[in-house]
Amino acid sequence: MVWIPQITDLVERLGAADLAGALRDPDTATVPVALDDPGAGRICGVGVLAAWLAEQEEWRTEHAAVVEPAAVTVTARRAVGEWVVRLDGPDGGRIGLPVAVAVEPASNMPVRIYHSRWPLLGRHVVRPPLVRHAPDAHASDVVDVYRAALAEGDVAAVVAAFAADGYFREPSGDTHRYVGTAALNDLFKGFFAAGGGIPLKLCTVTDDGTRSAVEYVCDRWGDADLPPQAGLVVCTRGEGGLISAVHVYDDVEAPVE
């Protein structure tokens, strides 16, 4: 649904110049190229990609889209970029859509785009997993503490993983951003009202020491089973080793009000 032209710069940072060139101009591609987008799904092949990129350029123009960089998490094999796309929303007002992209040149799906479709459509859309659950994948330090507390539905432990001025941003953007201990406490009490925690099945972990970006599958929320769905979360560590920010990118609909 939303192509970020700056993704090609991220691909080049990983040394995949051929893939970056194919994404800029599919007609000159010398390597196979594929990506997965929340709206279009899996896009493979030169012709399909070229048509989709042209459609995306027209869509960005129509919606007066402006791409604002947020953060980049880079390791040797994978990178995760975060942006906010400012654009004309369905009601005519301006909205800010958070978008994250996992780039992994060695994968058979080297570009994986994540964002909620709620700000664009006014509804959630179930999205099947993009990457398989990896039982040996694990987060580290405070990020793993947060993940475990989230799975257990432990409000106090979740909130304790955040710095005093830390915040949690939902996939729909800054209109759903919760800052500070009191706001986080109320938020997670509401999240866990479904009868338990939110266990996430980890697929990939991209950690540069400051940020930890995790691709996951969510198939359970409290007592409710959900269709397995793809998501990505980025946790940023602040001073003192606690979490200063959590950015979530998925379209999972909570089974709570």
Side-chain angles (χ1 to χ4, degrees):
M1 184 66 70
V2 180
W3 172 249
I4 308 291
Q6 292 86 341
I7 291 171
T8 55
D9 300 330
L10 198 56
V11 174
E12 285 188 330
R13 287 185 63 169
L14 292 174
D18 289 346
L19 177 59
L23 291 168
R24 288 192 179 100
D25 185 357
D27 292 334
T28 66
T30 58
V31 296
V33 60
L35 61 86
D36 199 295
D37 168 78
R42 300 201 167 196
I43 299 172
C44 303
V46 169
V48 175
L49 177 61
W52 185 75
L53 289 175
E55 180 182 300
Q56 285 297 297
E57 185 173 356
E58 182 178 343
W59 186 89
R60 288 195 305 274
T61 300
E62 288 177 352
H63 290 79
V66 177
V67 179
E68 298 178 357
V72 174
T73 308
V74 181
T75 61
R77 60 175 294 189
R78 190 185 306 111
V80 174
E82 298 178 80
W83 294 267
V84 176
V85 181
R86 308 289 178 186
L87 68 151
D88 294 338
D91 62 357
R94 296 289 284 178
I95 62 173
L97 176 69
V99 180
V101 180
V103 173
E104 188 173 11
S107 169
N108 60 4
M109 189 57 62
V111 178
R112 304 183 288 268
I113 304 171
Y114 293 88
H115 66 74
S116 173
R117 299 181 71 189
W118 175 271
L120 302 173
L121 303 178
R123 59 185 174 86
H124 295 286
V125 179
V126 172
R127 188 183 192 191
L130 306 187
V131 189
R132 289 183 179 179
H133 168 52
D136 59 341
H138 66 279
S140 59
D141 53 64
V142 71
V143 179
D144 191 51
V145 171
Y146 167 75
R147 180 206 59 78
L150 188 70
E152 290 297 321
D154 187 332
V155 175
V158 168
V159 175
F162 285 82
D165 58 351
Y167 73 87
F168 179 99
R169 190 190 68 192
E170 293 193 69
S172 50
D174 281 339
T175 54
H176 292 83
R177 174 172 168 155
Y178 305 86
V179 184
T181 301
L184 291 170
N185 191 70
D186 290 345
L187 174 70
F188 285 99
K189 277 185 177 178
F191 279 175
F192 300 151
I198 309 169
L200 302 178
K201 294 181 175 178
L202 275 56
C203 302
T204 72
V205 179
T206 307
D207 195 316
D208 66 2
T210 299
R211 284 174 297 276
S212 186
V214 178
E215 290 177 279
Y216 59 82
V217 175
C218 181
D219 60 7
R220 189 167 183 80
W221 189 311
D223 292 334
D225 290 323
L226 304 176
Q229 297 175 59
L232 185 150
V233 59
V234 180
C235 299
T236 301
R237 302 172 181 88
E239 292 184 8
L242 295 177
I243 293 173
S244 62
V246 170
H247 295 167
V248 180
Y249 303 88
D250 67 23
D251 224 6
V252 178
E253 185 168 7
V256 293
E257 291 295 332

